[in-house]
Amino acid sequence: MYILQLCLGLLFINCCVCRMVHLSSSDNAQPESNPNNEYKQLQIIFEAKNLEFGFPSESERQAVLNDGRYNPHSVLPIDVDVYYSPKNGLPSIFVTIPRFGPGTPYSLAYLTDVQRPNGTELQPYPSYEWHSSHGRDCNGLTSVCRVHIDPCGRIWILDSGEINNVQFCSPQIVVIDLGTNQLMHRYRLPAGTFKPTISRFVTPYVDVADPPPKGLCQRVFVYMADATGFGIVVYDVMNQHSWRIENKYTYPDPDFSTHTIAGQSFELLEGTIGVTVTPINLELPRFLYFHTFSNELQMAIPLNIVNNRSNWNNGLDSVLSKFSVLGKRGVQCAASAMTSAGVLLCGHYEPIGLFGWDIRTPYTPENRILLAHNPIALQFVSGLKVIKNPWGREEVWMLSNRVQRAFTGTINFNEINYRILRCGVDELLQGRPC
Ligand SMILES: *[C@@H]1O[C@H](CO)[C@@H](O)[C@H](O)[C@H]1NC(C)=O
Ligand SMILES: *[C@@H]1O[C@H](CO)[C@@H](O)[C@H](O)[C@H]1NC(C)=O
C-alpha cells in the first residue's frame, strides 16, 4: 500500500514538472475535426481553455500568483453539481477543483456570468475565507474532489483534508443549505475510518430515505469513496456513526492501472470512485452499486447490509459473500450516476462516451448502451450528475476535463479543455437531440 501511495505522490510531482516544461508547447495538440453531427451534440453550458478564478481583489490575485498559492497551469476541475433555485428556477452551477498541489486558490466554486479571456469566471463557495488557509484552518475547506446536492436543497461537501497526501485535517463532510448558504452540519471522520496520508476521499453519494415533499430529510446515509485508501466509508447521519467497508472488491486491479484515453496513456492505481444506490421508488430491493477506478468490475451489495453497522466488524472478511460481481466492463469508467428509473450511467474510455445500463438487466456488453458518443467533448467525464429540474424533468450534467493531458503534462491551453454539458435523460435514452 505504501508503495502504491508513493507512486501516486510521484505521479503528481512528475506531472507538475512536465507541465512547466511543456507550458507553451502545442506540438502535442491533435487537430480536432469538425464533428459535423457525427457525434452526439450536447448542450454546452461551459467551455474553457483554462479555469479563470475570480478574487476578492486584484491585489489578492497578484499576491497568490506571486507566492504560488495560485498557479493557473496546475488547476484541474473534477466535478459539477447544480441547484435550481425554487424561487426563480435559475440554476447555480458548482465546480470542484481539488488541491493536488499548492497552486489551487480555492477548491469549490460556482460559475458566474463574467467572461474572462480563457473562460467564464469562477467565484469561491461558500466564501474565499473558507479556502484561503490552504489546510491550516480545519474549520474551512482543504480539498474538495466531488460534492452531492441532495433533493432537500443541501450541498454535501466531501473534504479530503489533505493536499498532495499531507493530511492537514481529518476528512470531513460539510453540509450547507443552498437556500440560505448557512452551514447546517459538519461531520469529521473519526480515527479508524480513514488512513492519514494515504486516504483520498473523492466521491460522496447522499441517500435521503425521506425526501420532500412528504419527508423531513432526516433519514440520510452518505457513502464516501476513498480512492487511494481503497475503501468506502458509510455515514449514518441520524445516529452520528460511521464505519469502513474495505475488501478485495474495493481495491484496484493492476491489469487496469494503465489508463488510455484518446491515444494517451497514464498510470494510476486507484480504488473506489463511483458510488450510487438504487432509487427508492422502484419497488426493487435496494443496492449500493460501486466500482473502483482501476478495475473493470461492476459491484453491488444490498443496502440493508451496508447500512447495518454490526455487519462490518470483521475487516476484509466482513459479509464478503453478500457482494456480487455483476459483470466485467473490459475498460475503466470514472464517475457514475443513476436515473430515477434505474439506469446507471458512466463515461467510458473506449469508445469515448456516456454509457447507460438498466439495472434490471444483466451487466453485459449488449445491455450497456452508448447514449452519447463524443470523443471530443467527453474525453474524460469526471463529474456526472442526474438532476431533477423545476419542471419535473431529469437532466444529465457532465464535466469533462482531458485528465490524460493533465497527468502527462501535455495540456494545450489553446484548445477547449474543460466543458460542462447537459442533456435530458429522456432525450439521451430515446436518442433524440438534447
Ligand atoms: C489565458 O490565456 C492566455 C493566452 O493563452 C495566457 O497567457 C494566460 O495565462 C491565461 N490565463 C489563465 C488564467 O489561464
Ligand atoms: C443487523 O445485522 C445483524 C447481524 O450482523 C442482525 O442480527 C440485526 O438484526 C441487523 N439489524 C437490522 C436492523 O437489520
Side-chain angles (χ1 to χ4, degrees):
M1 191 115 50
Y2 282 97
I3 294 168
L4 299 181
Q5 197 44 40
L6 194 61
C7 295
L8 286 164
L10 286 177
L11 180 75
F12 281 112
I13 292 163
N14 283 340
C15 114
C16 296
V17 174
C18 302
R19 243 181 235 140
M20 280 185 244
V21 174
H22 287 282
L23 216 59
S24 56
S25 137
S26 58
D27 21 2
N28 288 304
Q30 277 149 21
E32 300 201 333
S33 59
N34 185 332
N36 268 335
N37 293 333
E38 183 190 346
Y39 300 129
K40 182 76 174 179
Q41 300 300 298
L42 302 150
Q43 290 173 8
I44 299 164
I45 306 293
F46 167 81
E47 279 188 334
K49 294 175 182 164
N50 198 7
L51 296 185
E52 289 275 9
F53 290 86
F55 287 89
S57 67
E58 204 44 41
S59 59
E60 179 66 11
R61 177 194 299 276
Q62 285 310 322
V64 292
L65 270 172
N66 290 343
D67 68 15
R69 280 178 290 158
Y70 174 31
N71 174 354
H73 298 114
S74 75
V75 288
L76 184 68
I78 292 287
D79 199 17
V80 61
D81 211 340
V82 183
Y83 172 67
Y84 281 101
S85 161
K87 287 186 209 122
N88 55 19
L90 293 176
S92 300
I93 302 167
F94 295 89
V95 176
T96 64
I97 316 104
R99 283 187 167 132
F100 297 130
T104 305
Y106 42 87
S107 136
L108 175 61
Y110 63 93
L111 271 184
T112 67
D113 296 330
V114 178
Q115 299 307 314
R116 295 184 65 97
N118 305 316
T120 310
E121 183 178 282
L122 300 169
Q123 284 288 343
Y125 189 84
S127 74
Y128 190 71
E129 288 66 37
W130 274 77
H131 299 268
S132 54
S133 83
H134 291 244
R136 283 189 309 274
D137 174 11
C138 295
N139 290 326
L141 292 169
T142 301
S143 180
V144 181
C145 203
R146 290 189 181 78
V147 293
H148 190 172
I149 296 174
D150 74 7
C152 312
R154 306 175 289 200
I155 185 169
W156 296 70
I157 304 164
L158 179 57
D159 175 7
S160 71
E162 50 73 47
I163 301 174
N164 201 14
N165 298 111
V166 178
Q167 194 78 50
F168 288 97
C169 306
S170 297
Q172 61 173 343
I173 277 271
V174 170
V175 188
I176 294 177
D177 178 340
L178 290 167
T180 61
N181 295 317
Q182 295 301 305
L183 174 66
M184 295 182 77
H185 183 59
R186 184 199 300 269
Y187 182 74
R188 297 186 205 275
L189 261 58
T193 59
F194 69 101
K195 304 171 185 172
T197 75
I198 293 174
S199 288
R200 175 171 293 155
F201 285 86
V202 295
T203 315
Y205 187 92
V206 181
D207 183 44
V208 181
D210 55 345
K214 286 186 187 153
L216 293 175
C217 297
Q218 288 175 345
R219 286 164 45 215
V220 180
F221 278 80
V222 187
Y223 309 97
M224 297 172 252
D226 177 359
T228 55
F230 306 154
I232 299 170
V233 171
V234 180
Y235 170 35
D236 174 348
V237 178
M238 262 191 119
N239 294 306
Q240 292 293 295
H241 284 152
S242 58
W243 54 93
R244 188 172 172 91
I245 298 178
E246 182 178 327
N247 63 31
K248 60 183 179 182
Y249 298 120
T250 61
Y251 274 56
D253 173 351
D255 284 345
F256 287 85
S257 72
T258 305
H259 298 248
T260 303
I261 306 171
Q264 260 182 315
S265 298
F266 62 93
E267 287 299 312
L268 193 66
L269 200 51
E270 285 200 346
T272 321
I273 179 171
V275 276
T276 58
V277 299
T278 317
I280 34 179
N281 50 354
L282 284 190
E283 294 178 6
L284 290 174
R286 300 195 73 203
F287 283 87
L288 175 76
Y289 290 85
F290 70 91
H291 71 275
T292 80
F293 193 21
S294 306
N295 207 322
E296 62 168 339
L297 304 181
Q298 178 58 50
M299 300 301 308
I301 174 162
L303 207 56
N304 64 331
I305 303 284
V306 173
N307 289 355
N308 181 342
R309 185 189 193 185
S310 58
N311 289 326
W312 301 101
N313 298 325
N314 289 329
L316 300 178
D317 258 348
S318 301
V319 289
L320 203 54
S321 64
K322 302 288 186 189
F323 285 77
S324 311
V325 178
L326 299 178
K328 296 181 175 181
R329 213 180 302 111
V331 69
Q332 298 94 334
C333 77
S336 55
M338 182 91 72
T339 72
S340 63
V343 175
L344 181 64
L345 306 173
C346 202
H348 291 205
Y349 291 3
E350 187 54 51
I352 293 176
L354 185 72
F355 278 75
W357 163 66
D358 185 328
I359 60 171
R360 299 163 195 79
T361 63
Y363 192 78
T364 57
E366 311 80 71
N367 292 330
R368 292 193 295 273
I369 315 290
L370 180 53
L371 301 176
H373 182 214
N374 195 323
I376 293 168
L378 299 179
Q379 271 186 25
F380 183 75
V381 180
S382 67
L384 182 63
K385 296 286 156 57
V386 174
I387 314 282
K388 191 179 239 175
N389 72 22
W391 307 277
R393 320 257 322 182
E394 275 188 312
E395 302 172 340
V396 177
W397 286 68
M398 290 162 266
L399 184 145
S400 71
N401 69 10
R402 310 204 151 175
V403 74
Q404 77 280 6
R405 288 185 171 273
F407 278 27
T408 54
T410 56
I411 285 206
N412 171 8
F413 288 108
N414 295 316
E415 66 181 19
I416 304 291
N417 291 295
Y418 310 124
R419 293 174 167 85
I420 295 175
L421 304 156
R422 176 174 69 179
C423 190
V425 166
D426 290 345
E427 286 75 5
L428 274 175
L429 292 176
Q430 295 161 13
R432 291 192 275 121
C434 291

